Amino acid sequence: SVADIVLTGGGGTDLRPAVATVARARPPADLVVVLTDGDTPWAPEPPPENRSARYVAVLVAGDRHTVPGWLTKIVVP
């Protein structure tokens, strides 16, 4: 169950390759959601392979001001 999932980490994961891989998927995604603490380098623009998708970053460790505007932020306190 969802209650049994243990999230671990400590920052430093680079989500750019994962977002780029999803952007190349066929059929193209309409929505891409990542759950993160936000301590990742972000690309300055959405992936060119799928600029029309909606990209959402769910920040599970509070707000980060480094998330670029092409991502919709959802902050989990």
Side-chain angles (χ1 to χ4, degrees):
S1 82
V2 173
D4 295 329
I5 296 173
V6 176
L7 299 176
T8 61
T13 303
D14 187 347
L15 293 177
R16 292 174 296 184
V19 171
T21 298
V22 170
R24 290 190 298 272
R26 295 294 174 252
D30 295 322
L31 174 66
V32 177
V33 179
V34 297
L35 279 72
T36 176
D37 61 6
D39 291 332
T40 185
W42 298 103
E45 298 179 356
E49 299 87 353
N50 189 358
R51 291 189 183 278
S52 63
R54 183 166 186 182
Y55 294 88
V56 178
V58 179
L59 302 175
V60 297
D63 197 3
R64 297 291 188 275
H65 299 289
T66 58
V67 178
W70 59 269
L71 282 145
T72 299
K73 286 193 298 185
I74 297 173
V75 179
V76 178

